[in-house]
Amino acid sequence: MNREIKFLEKLAKAYQTYDASVIEDDLADDMHYASFWVFQELTSKEEYLDYLKGKLQAMKNTGTTQEFKIVDGKRCSKALLITKINGRDDNGGGFVVDFNDDGKVGMINLTIPTFF
């Protein structure tokens, strides 16, 4: 199994268990996070983990659940598609990742499937 699939599986687990520590060791210190729905890009592991921990806690507090599926991309090899939110079909977004030369995640993008 390649590193992209392994990381996407861990990312899904982080969202499903509300636990950002699942992916912490896989992130480069200077990693970036961008979202199709948010104007400002996050530019460090520390900044992203702070954001993710807050987001996951808010999801846990509201009982928000997500289901995922790893899919083939046209612009990237694999993507993590959000298939359901709170049991309802979604397919409106998902994650793609890039790795740096050290094999760490250098970029996570939350985007629409058109950009997979």
Side-chain angles (χ1 to χ4, degrees):
M1 183 181 310
N2 74 27
R3 67 181 175 185
E4 191 172 21
I5 292 171
K6 284 182 184 180
F7 179 77
L8 292 173
E9 288 175 343
K10 285 183 177 183
L11 186 59
K13 182 178 178 182
Y15 273 86
Q16 292 170 330
T17 62
Y18 312 106
D19 182 5
S21 71
V22 172
I23 62 168
E24 191 169 353
D25 291 340
D26 296 290
L27 305 175
D29 290 337
D30 61 348
M31 64 89 59
H32 286 223
Y33 170 80
S35 171
F36 186 81
W37 297 274
V38 178
F39 179 69
Q40 188 170 349
E41 187 172 301
L42 303 178
T43 59
S44 72
K45 175 180 178 175
E46 182 180 353
E47 190 177 16
Y48 174 65
L49 286 173
D50 285 345
Y51 159 80
L52 184 59
K53 288 173 186 175
K55 181 175 184 170
L56 295 177
Q57 187 60 53
M59 289 174 59
K60 185 176 182 178
N61 292 346
T62 60
T64 301
T65 60
Q66 292 184 338
E67 295 178 34
F68 301 92
K69 178 181 178 183
I70 295 176
V71 296
D72 292 329
K74 293 178 182 161
R75 300 173 191 218
C76 62
S77 65
K78 299 291 180 188
L80 182 65
L81 179 68
I82 302 166
T83 58
K84 293 186 182 201
I85 297 176
N86 294 331
R88 293 191 175 135
D89 289 344
D90 188 77
N91 295 330
F95 299 90
V96 294
V97 297
D98 289 315
F99 294 86
N100 67 16
D101 293 338
D102 296 326
K104 297 280 189 175
V105 174
M107 182 72 181
I108 299 174
N109 283 292
L110 174 58
T111 190
I112 58 174
T114 302
F115 294 117
F116 289 1

